[in-house]
Amino acid sequence: MKPVHVPGVGDRLWQRIPADTRQIVTVYGDGENSPDSTLVLYEKRGTTWQRGGSWPAHNGKRGWTTDHHEGDERTPVGVYTLSDAGGLLDDPGTRLPYTQDEDAFASPYYWDEAHWHDFDYVIAIDYNRRRGARPDDPTRPQGQSKGGGIWLHLDHGDGTLGCVSVPETAMEYLLRTLNPKDKPVVVMGDRAKLKL
């Protein structure tokens, strides 16, 4: 029997979710050109998906795209695995492979102070990256022009360059809850595209 769908996710994206996935981070964008969204964690119990937590979030400054390119300031729509984490701070107790590195995850000194803690914690979204590598690994299997370095990270109060950002409490919860044995994925996009 096919499990109940996660609310707001249509057949097109649902079919891309691996059958053995038991954790889905869903990012519901407010609109195609909006930086505002809501992140909800769902976990599979039996044949149904139960809502875990929900938090306000931000995505790309210019919204969402199905054809992401370096520098477009949009977040790629799709289904992506979540396999690696890291940050400036010590591992908060995640089961994901975690890289703590003050140099690699430090925000550039010339960034506005509001962004200095963006990468205290990150979870790599496996868009145009090599799974199993550190989140900051520069490898881009589809080429540099398709962009990369798309992460879940701490929120700074407005849109991102393509990542999804959430409050620190949400990042800590996700890091402690996501489990590689549950094959976690993120399903993300503006609400209209998610429903297709």
Side-chain angles (χ1 to χ4, degrees):
M1 182 173 166
K2 191 172 182 180
V4 175
H5 281 218
V6 165
V9 178
D11 287 338
R12 182 179 60 85
L13 290 176
W14 189 257
Q15 291 170 5
R16 294 178 51 198
I17 298 170
D20 56 352
T21 290
R22 300 187 63 79
Q23 292 179 318
I24 299 176
V25 174
T26 309
V27 183
Y28 299 97
D30 285 1
E32 182 179 3
N33 300 310
S34 172
D36 300 319
S37 52
T38 301
L39 183 147
V40 181
L41 174 64
Y42 293 95
E43 297 188 86
K44 191 175 181 184
R45 301 289 179 250
T47 59
T48 62
W49 290 93
Q50 294 183 0
R51 184 179 173 129
S54 175
W55 301 271
H58 286 99
N59 49 266
K61 293 177 184 179
R62 298 185 59 221
W64 298 91
T65 182
T66 55
D67 186 24
H68 181 66
H69 285 85
E70 187 83 26
D72 66 9
E73 297 184 350
R74 291 182 179 271
T75 302
V77 174
V79 176
Y80 307 101
T81 53
L82 299 170
S83 57
D84 303 282
L88 281 166
L89 302 180
D90 291 338
D91 181 346
T94 187
R95 285 169 278 197
L96 297 171
Y98 190 88
T99 302
Q100 191 273 335
D101 189 325
E102 292 182 18
D103 294 325
F105 296 104
S107 299
Y109 70 90
Y110 53 85
W111 281 13
D112 185 271
E113 187 175 347
H115 297 272
W116 288 357
H117 295 282
D118 284 6
F119 310 134
D120 282 1
Y121 294 123
V122 306
I123 299 172
I125 294 172
D126 294 336
Y127 166 84
N128 197 21
R129 72 177 298 271
R130 191 166 45 107
R131 287 181 64 185
R134 297 166 47 119
D136 62 321
D137 182 272
T139 305
R140 302 286 181 260
Q142 299 173 46
Q144 194 65 33
S145 68
K146 293 296 286 180
I150 306 295
W151 296 343
L152 290 170
H153 66 67
L154 268 61
D155 192 55
H156 50 257
D158 59 12
T160 69
L161 297 178
C163 295
V164 174
S165 62
V166 292
E168 184 173 2
T169 54
M171 280 300 299
E172 289 174 344
Y173 182 86
L174 291 169
L175 283 164
R176 292 176 181 145
T177 303
L178 295 177
N179 190 336
K181 74 177 181 64
D182 290 327
K183 307 289 196 285
V185 300
V186 61
V187 180
M188 58 187 194
D190 57 277
R191 290 182 188 273
K193 287 191 184 70
L194 285 177
K195 289 178 183 175
L196 296 176

mmCIF file of all heavy atoms in Angstrom, residues 51-86:
data_model
loop_
_atom_site.group_PDB
_atom_site.id
_atom_site.type_symbol
_atom_site.label_atom_id
_atom_site.label_comp_id
_atom_site.label_asym_id
_atom_site.label_seq_id
_atom_site.Cartn_x
_atom_site.Cartn_y
_atom_site.Cartn_z
ATOM 1 N N ARG A 51 3.930 14.888 11.147
ATOM 2 C CA ARG A 51 4.624 16.174 11.211
ATOM 3 C C ARG A 51 5.452 16.246 12.488
ATOM 4 O O ARG A 51 4.952 15.995 13.577
ATOM 5 C CB ARG A 51 3.569 17.281 11.179
ATOM 6 C CG ARG A 51 4.106 18.672 11.133
ATOM 7 C CD ARG A 51 2.915 19.630 11.090
ATOM 8 N NE ARG A 51 3.358 20.992 11.215
ATOM 9 C CZ ARG A 51 3.005 21.952 10.396
ATOM 10 N NH1 ARG A 51 2.180 21.696 9.399
ATOM 11 N NH2 ARG A 51 3.432 23.178 10.576
ATOM 12 N N GLY A 52 6.739 16.582 12.322
ATOM 13 C CA GLY A 52 7.619 16.713 13.477
ATOM 14 C C GLY A 52 7.627 18.137 13.981
ATOM 15 O O GLY A 52 6.913 18.496 14.896
ATOM 16 N N GLY A 53 8.418 18.991 13.375
ATOM 17 C CA GLY A 53 8.492 20.397 13.751
ATOM 18 C C GLY A 53 8.281 21.288 12.548
ATOM 19 O O GLY A 53 8.373 20.834 11.403
ATOM 20 N N SER A 54 7.998 22.560 12.802
ATOM 21 C CA SER A 54 7.777 23.540 11.735
ATOM 22 C C SER A 54 8.402 24.862 12.155
ATOM 23 O O SER A 54 8.239 25.285 13.313
ATOM 24 C CB SER A 54 6.276 23.708 11.496
ATOM 25 O OG SER A 54 6.034 24.724 10.548
ATOM 26 N N TRP A 55 9.113 25.508 11.223
ATOM 27 C CA TRP A 55 9.808 26.753 11.527
ATOM 28 C C TRP A 55 9.728 27.716 10.339
ATOM 29 O O TRP A 55 9.724 27.291 9.182
ATOM 30 C CB TRP A 55 11.289 26.478 11.807
ATOM 31 C CG TRP A 55 11.520 25.548 12.946
ATOM 32 C CD1 TRP A 55 11.654 25.877 14.276
ATOM 33 C CD2 TRP A 55 11.643 24.124 12.884
ATOM 34 N NE1 TRP A 55 11.852 24.749 15.022
ATOM 35 C CE2 TRP A 55 11.847 23.650 14.190
ATOM 36 C CE3 TRP A 55 11.588 23.195 11.830
ATOM 37 C CZ2 TRP A 55 12.004 22.314 14.497
ATOM 38 C CZ3 TRP A 55 11.744 21.852 12.117
ATOM 39 C CH2 TRP A 55 11.951 21.421 13.446
ATOM 40 N N PRO A 56 9.755 29.024 10.617
ATOM 41 C CA PRO A 56 9.884 29.995 9.530
ATOM 42 C C PRO A 56 11.266 29.842 8.908
ATOM 43 O O PRO A 56 12.232 29.493 9.605
ATOM 44 C CB PRO A 56 9.723 31.351 10.227
ATOM 45 C CG PRO A 56 10.106 31.088 11.655
ATOM 46 C CD PRO A 56 9.731 29.661 11.938
ATOM 47 N N ALA A 57 11.369 30.080 7.619
ATOM 48 C CA ALA A 57 12.640 29.912 6.915
ATOM 49 C C ALA A 57 12.773 30.958 5.818
ATOM 50 O O ALA A 57 11.813 31.663 5.490
ATOM 51 C CB ALA A 57 12.715 28.502 6.311
ATOM 52 N N HIS A 58 13.975 31.034 5.263
ATOM 53 C CA HIS A 58 14.226 31.874 4.091
ATOM 54 C C HIS A 58 14.921 31.034 3.030
ATOM 55 O O HIS A 58 15.622 30.074 3.341
ATOM 56 C CB HIS A 58 15.098 33.082 4.455
ATOM 57 C CG HIS A 58 14.363 34.122 5.232
ATOM 58 N ND1 HIS A 58 14.443 34.225 6.600
ATOM 59 C CD2 HIS A 58 13.505 35.078 4.822
ATOM 60 C CE1 HIS A 58 13.666 35.221 7.009
ATOM 61 N NE2 HIS A 58 13.083 35.755 5.947
ATOM 62 N N ASN A 59 14.699 31.410 1.785
ATOM 63 C CA ASN A 59 15.357 30.776 0.640
ATOM 64 C C ASN A 59 16.026 31.886 -0.160
ATOM 65 O O ASN A 59 16.233 32.977 0.356
ATOM 66 C CB ASN A 59 14.338 29.962 -0.178
ATOM 67 C CG ASN A 59 13.079 30.751 -0.495
ATOM 68 O OD1 ASN A 59 12.106 30.662 0.249
ATOM 69 N ND2 ASN A 59 13.091 31.546 -1.561
ATOM 70 N N GLY A 60 16.349 31.615 -1.417
ATOM 71 C CA GLY A 60 17.038 32.599 -2.241
ATOM 72 C C GLY A 60 16.356 33.959 -2.275
ATOM 73 O O GLY A 60 15.127 34.048 -2.309
ATOM 74 N N LYS A 61 17.150 35.008 -2.309
ATOM 75 C CA LYS A 61 16.632 36.390 -2.343
ATOM 76 C C LYS A 61 15.642 36.608 -3.476
ATOM 77 O O LYS A 61 14.700 37.382 -3.343
ATOM 78 C CB LYS A 61 17.786 37.379 -2.518
ATOM 79 C CG LYS A 61 18.728 37.461 -1.363
ATOM 80 C CD LYS A 61 19.870 38.419 -1.686
ATOM 81 C CE LYS A 61 20.878 38.439 -0.555
ATOM 82 N NZ LYS A 61 22.005 39.337 -0.827
ATOM 83 N N ARG A 62 15.879 35.935 -4.611
ATOM 84 C CA ARG A 62 15.021 36.119 -5.784
ATOM 85 C C ARG A 62 14.014 34.980 -5.941
ATOM 86 O O ARG A 62 13.370 34.866 -6.973
ATOM 87 C CB ARG A 62 15.888 36.269 -7.031
ATOM 88 C CG ARG A 62 16.780 37.528 -6.924
ATOM 89 C CD ARG A 62 17.581 37.812 -8.163
ATOM 90 N NE ARG A 62 16.709 37.985 -9.301
ATOM 91 C CZ ARG A 62 16.957 37.495 -10.517
ATOM 92 N NH1 ARG A 62 18.060 36.810 -10.743
ATOM 93 N NH2 ARG A 62 16.126 37.702 -11.499
ATOM 94 N N GLY A 63 13.927 34.092 -4.930
ATOM 95 C CA GLY A 63 12.919 33.033 -4.969
ATOM 96 C C GLY A 63 13.473 31.680 -5.371
ATOM 97 O O GLY A 63 14.531 31.263 -4.904
ATOM 98 N N TRP A 64 12.764 31.003 -6.274
ATOM 99 C CA TRP A 64 13.010 29.607 -6.637
ATOM 100 C C TRP A 64 13.236 29.450 -8.131
ATOM 101 O O TRP A 64 12.784 30.272 -8.921
ATOM 102 C CB TRP A 64 11.798 28.759 -6.241
ATOM 103 C CG TRP A 64 11.541 28.773 -4.776
ATOM 104 C CD1 TRP A 64 10.735 29.648 -4.086
ATOM 105 C CD2 TRP A 64 12.105 27.902 -3.800
ATOM 106 N NE1 TRP A 64 10.772 29.359 -2.750
ATOM 107 C CE2 TRP A 64 11.596 28.284 -2.544
ATOM 108 C CE3 TRP A 64 12.979 26.817 -3.873
ATOM 109 C CZ2 TRP A 64 11.937 27.637 -1.369
ATOM 110 C CZ3 TRP A 64 13.320 26.162 -2.699
ATOM 111 C CH2 TRP A 64 12.799 26.572 -1.464
ATOM 112 N N THR A 65 13.902 28.337 -8.519
ATOM 113 C CA THR A 65 14.112 28.052 -9.932
ATOM 114 C C THR A 65 14.213 26.544 -10.162
ATOM 115 O O THR A 65 14.684 25.812 -9.295
ATOM 116 C CB THR A 65 15.390 28.733 -10.469
ATOM 117 O OG1 THR A 65 15.524 28.456 -11.860
ATOM 118 C CG2 THR A 65 16.640 28.258 -9.741
ATOM 119 N N THR A 66 13.792 26.123 -11.345
ATOM 120 C CA THR A 66 13.977 24.727 -11.746
ATOM 121 C C THR A 66 15.231 24.586 -12.610
ATOM 122 O O THR A 66 15.549 23.495 -13.066
ATOM 123 C CB THR A 66 12.754 24.201 -12.530
ATOM 124 O OG1 THR A 66 12.519 25.073 -13.638
ATOM 125 C CG2 THR A 66 11.515 24.153 -11.639
ATOM 126 N N ASP A 67 15.946 25.706 -12.838
ATOM 127 C CA ASP A 67 17.161 25.693 -13.643
ATOM 128 C C ASP A 67 18.199 26.592 -12.968
ATOM 129 O O ASP A 67 18.549 27.658 -13.476
ATOM 130 C CB ASP A 67 16.853 26.172 -15.064
ATOM 131 C CG ASP A 67 18.048 26.044 -15.997
ATOM 132 O OD1 ASP A 67 18.940 25.209 -15.719
ATOM 133 O OD2 ASP A 67 18.108 26.782 -16.988
ATOM 134 N N HIS A 68 18.681 26.150 -11.813
ATOM 135 C CA HIS A 68 19.601 26.949 -11.003
ATOM 136 C C HIS A 68 20.947 27.141 -11.701
ATOM 137 O O HIS A 68 21.479 26.215 -12.315
ATOM 138 C CB HIS A 68 19.823 26.259 -9.653
ATOM 139 C CG HIS A 68 20.736 27.008 -8.737
ATOM 140 N ND1 HIS A 68 20.413 28.235 -8.199
ATOM 141 C CD2 HIS A 68 21.970 26.708 -8.257
ATOM 142 C CE1 HIS A 68 21.402 28.646 -7.434
ATOM 143 N NE2 HIS A 68 22.365 27.738 -7.456
ATOM 144 N N HIS A 69 21.463 28.356 -11.594
ATOM 145 C CA HIS A 69 22.794 28.691 -12.103
ATOM 146 C C HIS A 69 23.537 29.529 -11.072
ATOM 147 O O HIS A 69 22.914 30.267 -10.297
ATOM 148 C CB HIS A 69 22.705 29.454 -13.431
ATOM 149 C CG HIS A 69 22.352 28.573 -14.576
ATOM 150 N ND1 HIS A 69 21.054 28.253 -14.898
ATOM 151 C CD2 HIS A 69 23.135 27.917 -15.461
ATOM 152 C CE1 HIS A 69 21.052 27.438 -15.943
ATOM 153 N NE2 HIS A 69 22.306 27.224 -16.304
ATOM 154 N N GLU A 70 24.846 29.413 -11.076
ATOM 155 C CA GLU A 70 25.704 30.168 -10.169
ATOM 156 C C GLU A 70 25.333 31.645 -10.207
ATOM 157 O O GLU A 70 25.243 32.251 -11.281
ATOM 158 C CB GLU A 70 27.160 29.989 -10.614
ATOM 159 C CG GLU A 70 28.179 30.576 -9.670
ATOM 160 C CD GLU A 70 28.527 29.658 -8.511
ATOM 161 O OE1 GLU A 70 28.388 28.430 -8.651
ATOM 162 O OE2 GLU A 70 28.933 30.189 -7.476
ATOM 163 N N GLY A 71 25.078 32.218 -9.040
ATOM 164 C CA GLY A 71 24.838 33.653 -8.935
ATOM 165 C C GLY A 71 23.416 34.111 -9.212
ATOM 166 O O GLY A 71 23.163 35.316 -9.185
ATOM 167 N N ASP A 72 22.468 33.196 -9.460
ATOM 168 C CA ASP A 72 21.109 33.663 -9.776
ATOM 169 C C ASP A 72 20.292 34.036 -8.536
ATOM 170 O O ASP A 72 19.190 34.563 -8.651
ATOM 171 C CB ASP A 72 20.346 32.659 -10.647
ATOM 172 C CG ASP A 72 20.035 31.338 -9.962
ATOM 173 O OD1 ASP A 72 20.242 31.203 -8.737
ATOM 174 O OD2 ASP A 72 19.570 30.413 -10.668
ATOM 175 N N GLU A 73 20.833 33.797 -7.350
ATOM 176 C CA GLU A 73 20.194 34.130 -6.078
ATOM 177 C C GLU A 73 18.819 33.482 -5.930
ATOM 178 O O GLU A 73 17.914 34.019 -5.299
ATOM 179 C CB GLU A 73 20.114 35.648 -5.873
ATOM 180 C CG GLU A 73 21.479 36.300 -5.785
ATOM 181 C CD GLU A 73 21.434 37.777 -5.486
ATOM 182 O OE1 GLU A 73 20.346 38.399 -5.513
ATOM 183 O OE2 GLU A 73 22.527 38.326 -5.215
ATOM 184 N N ARG A 74 18.668 32.301 -6.545
ATOM 185 C CA ARG A 74 17.442 31.514 -6.422
ATOM 186 C C ARG A 74 17.799 30.134 -5.868
ATOM 187 O O ARG A 74 18.907 29.641 -6.075
ATOM 188 C CB ARG A 74 16.738 31.375 -7.771
ATOM 189 C CG ARG A 74 16.142 32.680 -8.280
ATOM 190 C CD ARG A 74 15.420 32.480 -9.602
ATOM 191 N NE ARG A 74 14.838 33.714 -10.081
ATOM 192 C CZ ARG A 74 13.599 34.133 -9.774
ATOM 193 N NH1 ARG A 74 12.830 33.398 -9.003
ATOM 194 N NH2 ARG A 74 13.140 35.266 -10.254
ATOM 195 N N THR A 75 16.851 29.521 -5.198
ATOM 196 C CA THR A 75 17.053 28.195 -4.619
ATOM 197 C C THR A 75 16.525 27.146 -5.586
ATOM 198 O O THR A 75 15.437 27.303 -6.145
ATOM 199 C CB THR A 75 16.332 28.109 -3.261
ATOM 200 O OG1 THR A 75 16.850 29.139 -2.404
ATOM 201 C CG2 THR A 75 16.541 26.761 -2.602
ATOM 202 N N PRO A 76 17.284 26.064 -5.808
ATOM 203 C CA PRO A 76 16.828 25.038 -6.747
ATOM 204 C C PRO A 76 15.637 24.232 -6.214
ATOM 205 O O PRO A 76 15.660 23.755 -5.089
ATOM 206 C CB PRO A 76 18.061 24.135 -6.925
ATOM 207 C CG PRO A 76 18.909 24.388 -5.731
ATOM 208 C CD PRO A 76 18.628 25.781 -5.277
ATOM 209 N N VAL A 77 14.611 24.118 -7.047
ATOM 210 C CA VAL A 77 13.429 23.306 -6.721
ATOM 211 C C VAL A 77 13.792 21.844 -6.927
ATOM 212 O O VAL A 77 14.470 21.495 -7.898
ATOM 213 C CB VAL A 77 12.253 23.680 -7.651
ATOM 214 C CG1 VAL A 77 11.064 22.743 -7.438
ATOM 215 C CG2 VAL A 77 11.843 25.137 -7.448
ATOM 216 N N GLY A 78 13.350 20.973 -6.021
ATOM 217 C CA GLY A 78 13.587 19.553 -6.254
ATOM 218 C C GLY A 78 13.611 18.717 -4.997
ATOM 219 O O GLY A 78 13.259 19.174 -3.907
ATOM 220 N N VAL A 79 14.046 17.470 -5.177
ATOM 221 C CA VAL A 79 14.225 16.502 -4.096
ATOM 222 C C VAL A 79 15.709 16.183 -4.030
ATOM 223 O O VAL A 79 16.300 15.782 -5.036
ATOM 224 C CB VAL A 79 13.425 15.204 -4.370
ATOM 225 C CG1 VAL A 79 13.708 14.164 -3.285
ATOM 226 C CG2 VAL A 79 11.940 15.492 -4.483
ATOM 227 N N TYR A 80 16.310 16.383 -2.864
ATOM 228 C CA TYR A 80 17.745 16.180 -2.696
ATOM 229 C C TYR A 80 18.016 15.443 -1.385
ATOM 230 O O TYR A 80 17.355 15.696 -0.378
ATOM 231 C CB TYR A 80 18.490 17.528 -2.683
ATOM 232 C CG TYR A 80 18.174 18.376 -3.881
ATOM 233 C CD1 TYR A 80 17.263 19.421 -3.787
ATOM 234 C CD2 TYR A 80 18.755 18.108 -5.121
ATOM 235 C CE1 TYR A 80 16.947 20.192 -4.900
ATOM 236 C CE2 TYR A 80 18.444 18.878 -6.233
ATOM 237 C CZ TYR A 80 17.535 19.909 -6.114
ATOM 238 O OH TYR A 80 17.219 20.667 -7.220
ATOM 239 N N THR A 81 18.991 14.553 -1.402
ATOM 240 C CA THR A 81 19.371 13.859 -0.182
ATOM 241 C C THR A 81 20.103 14.820 0.755
ATOM 242 O O THR A 81 20.632 15.848 0.342
ATOM 243 C CB THR A 81 20.256 12.635 -0.497
ATOM 244 O OG1 THR A 81 21.356 13.055 -1.308
ATOM 245 C CG2 THR A 81 19.463 11.558 -1.237
ATOM 246 N N LEU A 82 20.110 14.439 2.035
ATOM 247 C CA LEU A 82 20.823 15.179 3.073
ATOM 248 C C LEU A 82 21.800 14.196 3.707
ATOM 249 O O LEU A 82 21.372 13.256 4.391
ATOM 250 C CB LEU A 82 19.840 15.701 4.131
ATOM 251 C CG LEU A 82 18.773 16.672 3.624
ATOM 252 C CD1 LEU A 82 17.718 16.913 4.694
ATOM 253 C CD2 LEU A 82 19.401 17.989 3.190
ATOM 254 N N SER A 83 23.091 14.375 3.457
ATOM 255 C CA SER A 83 24.041 13.342 3.878
ATOM 256 C C SER A 83 25.197 13.829 4.736
ATOM 257 O O SER A 83 25.842 13.011 5.381
ATOM 258 C CB SER A 83 24.595 12.620 2.650
ATOM 259 O OG SER A 83 25.202 13.537 1.766
ATOM 260 N N ASP A 84 25.485 15.124 4.771
ATOM 261 C CA ASP A 84 26.671 15.610 5.465
ATOM 262 C C ASP A 84 26.388 16.934 6.162
ATOM 263 O O ASP A 84 25.602 17.746 5.661
ATOM 264 C CB ASP A 84 27.825 15.795 4.469
ATOM 265 C CG ASP A 84 28.129 14.509 3.734
ATOM 266 O OD1 ASP A 84 28.785 13.637 4.335
ATOM 267 O OD2 ASP A 84 27.676 14.359 2.585
ATOM 268 N N ALA A 85 27.048 17.146 7.296
ATOM 269 C CA ALA A 85 26.834 18.359 8.079
ATOM 270 C C ALA A 85 28.170 18.904 8.563
ATOM 271 O O ALA A 85 29.212 18.257 8.441
ATOM 272 C CB ALA A 85 25.923 18.052 9.265
ATOM 273 N N GLY A 86 28.122 20.102 9.131
ATOM 274 C CA GLY A 86 29.326 20.707 9.663
ATOM 275 C C GLY A 86 29.025 22.077 10.228
ATOM 276 O O GLY A 86 27.869 22.457 10.398
#
